[in-house]
Amino acid sequence: MASFSIEEFIGNGVLKELLPKLLDEGWDDVPTLKIMDSDDMNSIKMTQRQKDSIGIRSYLHDRGLMQYADKLEASGKSLPELMSLSSMDLSAQFDMKRGHIVRFIDRTKGDDSFKLRAIMARRRSSMMYRHESIPKSLASNGSNSMMRMQIRSNTTTDRSIEQSLTELKIKDGYVFKGIVASEPAEPRACGCVQPPPVSDQVAPYAALENISVQKLTPEYKIGMEPLVKMKTPPMKAAELWRDKPAIFLCLRRPGCIMCRADAHKLFSRKPIFDALGVQLFAVVHEYMEAEIKDFWPQYWGGVVLFDRGRDFFKALGGGKLHKEKFFSGFLLNPRAIANYKRAKATGFEKNFRGEGEIKGGLFILGSRKTGIAYQFIERNFGDWAPPAEVIEICTQLQKQQQGQSVLELP
């Protein structure tokens, strides 16, 4: 099982003795640790065995196979050597299950580590050029007068982030607001069952800024208790994006395997969002302590918020909760079933506890009162906002912020 707990990631092998140095140098969360390059490793004097361990564990983490990390590392083999082993050897030497062997040797599965390193390198170099052309205003207090667009998303194959980014046609200086679904909703059961209607209006900014939320978890760091001892008092959501843009991932149910896969996929890009100055929040509409403990930090290492009034979810539904019955929304919906199969391939655990009919989605809020930059609705169970799309919107937010900084110079 993939996890964002750094203790679970480094295990009890050769990396454990290096933990104090990793923390001292700021490598204190799993997404960041996974994008270490050779220069980073050399700077803290890693041995070749430790470098191999990082490679093995990053590869396994991307594929949800961390249960084999200690055994594979203890073999003393490098990742290429392990991948050259036969299925019979992997089964006999490491007790690897047949389905897991297929996932382990499948090189086409998304390995984000090298993509993150490439994008982070571009982000670092782009920070040197702060005096480029100033983009136009992004939004005005969530007004719906801005243009909208539908960005074609890919759901048949897991293309690389770089390829997806080059295919996005977002004009410089603008972030186009709009509702985007990763798959359209179509009639089910030969047209006998119609999908529920979806509002085509972006939520008004006023519907979000006064939402009362409560922090259930902090951002994960090593040594923290599974949950904060004392519940924090409720606060206005607008306080969270007052100084920095923020992403709010609204989860239908934290025990759902599709929600867990969505959260894990998004949070694994945390180094990119950090470089773009964007915060990450997950939002739940039910408070079930056991479910939050199972969800955080295994699948999401960031802050988890409790939306008692379900106001984020009502905003996604145009003022009312966007709901659908399990039978018609899942069992009769081929797109939802395909989403489930995609999530099931991660090997993540799941349960069926809690309210599962209220659909979620995602918001990207600009800092201060610049408004809603992006809104995504879970139209079919298991739809998720394409990460490349989210990254590109956040890139435009960063450009706007840099432009405003130039304007404010004396």
Side-chain angles (χ1 to χ4, degrees):
M1 178 185 71
S3 172
F4 289 115
S5 163
I6 195 168
E7 300 99 326
E8 294 176 14
F9 181 82
I10 65 172
N12 296 312
V14 296
L15 291 176
K16 191 170 185 178
E17 64 190 52
L18 201 61
L19 183 57
K21 186 176 291 187
L22 288 171
L23 298 179
D24 187 57
E25 293 294 325
W27 304 100
D28 54 2
D29 65 70
V30 174
T32 306
L33 191 61
K34 285 169 60 180
I35 62 169
M36 292 185 80
D37 58 24
S38 57
D39 290 338
D40 297 324
M41 295 178 185
N42 290 334
S43 69
I44 58 175
K45 297 181 171 58
M46 273 193 183
T47 66
Q48 186 57 49
R49 185 87 181 273
Q50 290 167 335
K51 294 177 182 178
D52 289 341
S53 177
I54 288 284
I56 292 170
R57 291 177 180 274
S58 296
Y59 185 85
L60 294 175
H61 192 271
D62 288 331
R63 286 155 177 77
L65 297 173
M66 285 299 290
Q67 63 266 45
Y68 301 107
D70 287 341
K71 288 184 178 180
L72 294 177
E73 179 192 289
S75 70
K77 294 181 171 65
S78 65
L79 181 59
E81 291 172 328
L82 290 168
M83 294 185 67
S84 68
L85 294 176
S86 66
S87 298
M88 187 176 298
D89 287 336
L90 289 171
S91 176
Q93 296 180 32
F94 307 110
D95 297 321
M96 196 176 288
K97 297 178 181 179
R98 183 174 180 82
H100 292 168
I101 291 173
V102 172
R103 198 188 313 163
F104 178 74
I105 63 178
D106 182 6
R107 297 169 186 254
T108 64
K109 278 195 173 291
D111 179 0
D112 286 340
S113 300
F114 77 93
K115 302 172 193 172
L116 289 173
R117 282 195 290 269
I119 292 176
M120 286 289 287
R122 290 201 296 274
R123 295 282 180 262
R124 285 193 289 264
S125 62
S126 68
M127 292 297 287
M128 299 171 60
Y129 303 99
R130 296 182 58 88
H131 295 283
E132 54 189 352
S133 60
I134 300 171
K136 297 181 181 179
S137 178
L138 201 70
S140 177
N141 294 336
S143 168
N144 288 327
S145 62
M146 293 185 65
M147 295 175 61
R148 299 187 181 95
M149 75 172 191
Q150 295 279 337
I151 305 177
R152 179 168 56 90
S153 64
N154 173 39
T155 58
T156 58
T157 181
D158 188 12
R159 296 176 300 176
S160 70
I161 294 176
E162 292 88 8
Q163 182 181 355
S164 297
L165 284 176
T166 59
E167 292 180 7
L168 292 173
K169 304 299 182 183
I170 299 180
K171 187 185 299 183
D172 254 358
Y174 291 90
V175 171
F176 296 95
K177 297 161 51 177
I179 297 171
V180 185
S182 63
E183 285 282 5
E186 297 178 352
R188 295 90 187 251
C190 301
C192 297
V193 178
Q194 295 295 322
V198 175
S199 172
D200 62 354
Q201 297 294 312
V202 176
Y205 178 77
L208 299 185
E209 63 177 340
N210 293 319
I211 291 177
S212 176
V213 294
Q214 188 175 15
K215 288 186 179 181
L216 299 181
T217 74
E219 185 171 314
Y220 177 78
K221 298 294 181 184
I222 187 170
M224 283 184 172
E225 295 294 325
L227 286 175
V228 288
K229 295 288 186 181
M230 300 291 292
K231 291 183 183 178
T232 61
M235 62 185 299
K236 283 189 176 181
E239 292 296 312
L240 298 172
W241 63 79
R242 180 177 57 188
D243 301 320
K244 295 172 64 176
I247 294 172
F248 293 86
L249 176 64
C250 301
L251 296 169
R252 184 165 39 82
R253 195 170 57 80
C256 167
I257 192 172
M258 294 181 286
C259 297
R260 288 179 171 184
D262 185 6
H264 192 276
K265 197 173 188 69
L266 184 67
F267 195 77
S268 68
R269 273 77 172 179
K270 180 179 178 292
I272 298 177
F273 295 119
D274 285 345
L276 294 172
V278 177
Q279 308 167 87
L280 293 170
F281 299 98
V283 185
V284 298
H285 57 75
E286 288 183 294
Y287 176 65
M288 298 182 290
E289 185 171 342
E291 291 304 293
I292 301 301
K293 285 182 178 179
D294 287 344
F295 177 72
W296 180 92
Q298 283 79 11
Y299 306 100
W300 177 268
V303 173
V304 178
L305 303 171
F306 176 38
D307 177 10
R308 185 184 299 275
R310 298 175 172 176
D311 294 307
F312 272 106
F313 297 84
K314 292 174 184 176
L316 286 166
K320 62 182 180 179
L321 295 175
H322 181 44
K323 302 178 67 173
E324 191 168 7
K325 295 294 184 181
F326 178 79
F327 181 75
S328 60
F330 182 77
L331 295 180
L332 296 181
N333 187 350
R335 297 192 187 279
I337 293 173
N339 287 340
Y340 173 76
K341 291 179 178 178
R342 174 180 62 178
K344 187 179 179 181
T346 62
F348 294 164
E349 297 176 359
K350 64 182 182 298
N351 64 57
F352 297 96
R353 294 185 287 272
E355 162 63 62
E357 296 180 354
I358 299 173
K359 293 185 178 179
L362 181 144
F363 287 105
I364 302 178
L365 275 297
S367 59
R368 296 183 290 277
K369 289 181 176 288
T370 51
I372 301 171
Y374 180 80
Q375 178 176 325
F376 178 91
I377 287 181
E378 184 185 18
R379 188 167 297 183
N380 307 284
F381 286 125
D383 285 350
W384 62 37
E389 205 165 270
V390 175
I391 290 170
E392 182 61 21
I393 297 296
C394 292
T395 301
Q396 300 301 320
L397 281 172
Q398 184 195 50
K399 288 182 179 180
Q400 185 218 25
Q401 189 172 6
Q402 290 175 351
Q404 289 176 342
S405 299
V406 172
L407 284 175
E408 292 169 2
L409 290 176

